[in-house]
């Protein structure tokens, strides 16, 4: 097992970047944080210029190009943040951003302007108190989504403290943790972390972010089995990424792998307009065709909802292929079929 990589010189030493690019890449990682966990570094094949793991985590000179449509806060979290650490965009749920740190930094991250070791790292005790007060004062909040950064980068002790304080708020029924840790840093899912999660009296969901089936090898399998055995419901989220998972075989293998590991595919995200990430984005029409092929050929258990978070803070909406059109119900070949309207009531079309 190798050490984590935090500097461009570490990447040069491992053969992941060319020495000639080092100066240009230094400037990039000054703006967008760099860290590659040992588990992911060990998966990268330096001889493969198109390695899908490298593409997600190794900085690229194209990140210096910010396009006019790209936004520092691509999904408009700022406009819906009533108080530090809270984003309240939908009535029954809030994001609680506990920290700005991740064990690994994704080159396409939608919060890339906010995450990294340079930022204010962990929500201060006063800010955490105020955020919990906000949740307590809003009885419509049914679900709290722990995010960041990566909440499983916290120590088990800190995480257990937050979970116990959420236990005291009766109207919160669900605590959801958005994390990449079981895949990218599986050794963090140790006995202490499982104990911390098990202290919660709420129904816990863990939303695992993974984008390529190779991320879900043996160590991830062990970590996910421990989480499932601890009674935590597991769902997935994946970002559709050019050169990583934008082909049918990879996407199908990823979704099947989730299901094999008891992780129910939840969301496939259209990549957000984060700065310097245009080389990752897939056009919406191409994306919809891929999602349609997945629906047509692969088990229903393996179907995530394809969503787009409308730039500017207007919310997530499904943007997958439509099967109900004015011409009737479309089958997987695009052929329309009539479906009779109910005998009573208004006709459908
Ligand atoms: C994505 C998101 C959520 C969670 O949305 P779900 O559709 O419930 O998964 C909640 N709040 C904000 C601000 C979000 O961006
Ligand atoms: S783990 Fe999540 S928050 Fe952290 S860099 Fe990756 S996408 Fe961004």
């Amino acid at each position: 097992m190798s050490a984590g990589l935090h500097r461009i010189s570490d990447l040069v030493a491992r053969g992941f970047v060319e020495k000639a690019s080092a100066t240009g890449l230094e400037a990039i990682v000054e703006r967008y944080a760099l860290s590659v966990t040992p588990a992911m570094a060990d998966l990268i094949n330096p001889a493969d210029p198109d390695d899908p793991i490298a593409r997600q985590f190794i900085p690229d000179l194209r990140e210096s190009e910010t396009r006019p449509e790209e936004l520092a806060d691509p999904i408009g979290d700022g406009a819906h943040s009533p108080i530090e650490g809270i984003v309240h965009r939908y009535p029954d749920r809030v994001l609680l951003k506990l920290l700005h740190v991740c064990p690994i930094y994704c080159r396409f991250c939608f919060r890339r302007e906010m995450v990294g070791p340079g930022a204010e790292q962990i929500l201060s005790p006063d800010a955490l108190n105020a955020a919990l007060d906000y949740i307590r004062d809003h009885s419509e909040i049914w679900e709290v989504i722990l995010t960041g950064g990566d909440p499983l980068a916290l120590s088990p002790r800190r995480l257990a403290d937050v979970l116990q304080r959420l236990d005291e708020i009766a109207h919160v029924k669900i605590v959801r943790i958005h994390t990449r840790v079981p895949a990218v840093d599986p050794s963090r899912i140790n006995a202490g972390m499982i104990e911390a999660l098990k202290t919660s009296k709420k129904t816990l969901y863990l939303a695992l972010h993974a984008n390529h089936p190779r991320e879900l090898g043996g160590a991830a399998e062990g970590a996910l089995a421990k989480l499932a055995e601890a009674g935590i419901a597991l769902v997935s989220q994946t970002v559709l990424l050019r050169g990583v998972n934008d082909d049918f075989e990879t996407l199908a293998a990823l979704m099947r792998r989730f299901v094999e590991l008891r992780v129910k595919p939840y969301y496939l995200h259209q990549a957000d307009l984060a700065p310097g990430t245009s080389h990752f984005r897939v056009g919406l029409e191409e994306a919809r065709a891929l999602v349609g092929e997945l629906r047509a050929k692969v088990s229903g258990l393996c179907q995530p909802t394809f969503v787009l978070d409308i730039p500017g803070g207007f919310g997530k909406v499904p943007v997958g292929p439509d099967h109900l059109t004015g011409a009737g119900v479309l089958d997987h070949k695009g052929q329309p079929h009539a479906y009779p309207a109910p005998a009573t009531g208004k006709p459908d079309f």
Side-chain angles (χ1 to χ4, degrees), residues 163-207:
L163 293 172
Q164 277 155 25
R165 293 172 73 186
L166 289 170
D167 276 345
E168 288 157 21
I169 306 177
H171 57 261
V172 172
K173 305 296 183 192
I174 306 293
V175 176
R176 189 195 322 175
I177 300 172
H178 275 234
T179 180
R180 224 165 172 352
V181 162
V184 298
D185 201 2
S187 62
R188 286 193 76 82
I189 310 297
N190 55 20
M193 187 65 86
I194 295 291
E195 274 316 302
L197 293 167
K198 279 168 92 171
T199 60
S200 175
K201 296 190 185 76
K202 304 295 182 186
T203 298
L204 285 192
Y205 273 73
L206 183 147

Side-chain angles (χ1 to χ4, degrees), residues 7-347:
R7 294 187 309 258
I8 295 297
S9 56
D10 300 334
L11 303 182
V12 174
R14 291 286 294 261
F16 295 158
V17 303
E18 310 250 335
K19 210 162 179 185
S21 318
T23 310
L25 292 174
E26 295 281 3
I28 286 169
V29 302
E30 226 153 84
R31 178 160 179 199
Y32 307 120
L34 166 67
S35 173
V36 185
T37 55
M40 290 299 106
D42 286 349
L43 283 185
I44 295 172
N45 172 7
D48 177 2
D50 300 320
D51 186 287
I53 307 298
R55 202 168 156 79
Q56 294 182 68
F57 306 121
I58 303 299
D60 186 300
L61 291 171
R62 285 173 289 184
E63 291 173 48
S64 63
E65 188 204 336
T66 301
R67 294 184 50 88
E69 69 273 21
E70 294 176 338
L71 307 163
D73 178 13
I75 62 172
D77 279 351
H80 296 276
S81 182
I83 182 172
E84 190 189 350
I86 294 279
V87 183
H88 196 178
R89 190 162 67 182
Y90 306 109
D92 72 342
R93 55 211 192 276
V94 290
L95 306 184
L96 173 54
K97 297 196 211 172
L98 294 171
L99 74 174
H100 295 285
V101 183
C102 306
I104 199 161
Y105 292 104
C106 312
R107 305 321 301 172
F108 51 85
C109 175
F110 67 123
R111 295 209 180 103
R112 61 193 325 223
E113 298 276 24
M114 277 74 108
V115 296
E120 192 66 39
Q121 294 206 336
I122 297 187
L123 208 57
S124 71
D126 285 347
L128 179 60
N129 288 339
L132 290 165
D133 286 344
Y134 180 91
I135 296 169
R136 197 175 298 108
D137 291 344
H138 288 78
S139 58
E140 72 276 23
I141 299 173
W142 171 81
E143 179 183 21
V144 173
I145 300 170
L146 304 184
T147 179
D150 196 316
L152 295 191
L154 288 173
S155 69
R157 184 186 55 78
R158 269 187 204 265
L159 187 65
D161 172 64
V162 172
L163 293 172
Q164 277 155 25
R165 293 172 73 186
L166 289 170
D167 276 345
E168 288 157 21
I169 306 177
H171 57 261
V172 172
K173 305 296 183 192
I174 306 293
V175 176
R176 189 195 322 175
I177 300 172
H178 275 234
T179 180
R180 224 165 172 352
V181 162
V184 298
D185 201 2
S187 62
R188 286 193 76 82
I189 310 297
N190 55 20
M193 187 65 86
I194 295 291
E195 274 316 302
L197 293 167
K198 279 168 92 171
T199 60
S200 175
K201 296 190 185 76
K202 304 295 182 186
T203 298
L204 285 192
Y205 273 73
L206 183 147
L208 170 67
H209 171 185
N211 303 320
H212 193 278
R214 260 170 55 202
E215 292 168 47
L216 302 172
E221 182 169 336
L224 291 166
K226 283 189 220 161
L227 292 162
E229 280 150 26
I232 300 165
L234 306 175
V235 298
S236 75
Q237 53 171 346
T238 293
V239 184
L240 184 63
L241 297 168
R242 172 79 69 209
V244 175
N245 55 23
D246 63 331
D247 62 281
F248 170 75
E249 280 72 27
T250 305
L251 209 54
L254 174 65
M255 296 303 152
R256 287 191 174 123
R257 186 75 185 133
F258 281 137
V259 171
E260 289 162 16
L261 299 174
R262 286 184 274 182
V263 180
K264 172 69 188 87
Y266 177 50
Y267 277 155
L268 177 66
H269 294 273
Q270 172 69 4
D272 293 314
L273 300 175
T277 62
S278 63
H279 54 294
F280 281 113
R281 285 196 291 279
V282 177
L284 269 178
E285 280 314 315
E286 191 183 336
R288 281 157 59 93
L290 263 173
V291 172
E293 191 175 357
L294 195 70
R295 178 74 250 186
K297 295 183 180 167
V298 177
S299 163
L301 283 177
C302 300
Q303 307 298 323
T305 303
F306 179 48
V307 290
L308 166 69
D309 215 316
I310 304 173
F314 301 98
K316 282 188 197 64
V317 291
V319 287
D322 311 308
H323 285 267
L324 191 57
T325 70
V329 184
L330 303 185
D331 64 22
H332 291 304
K333 296 193 178 102
Q335 294 298 317
H337 301 272
Y339 180 80
T344 54
K346 280 188 270 179

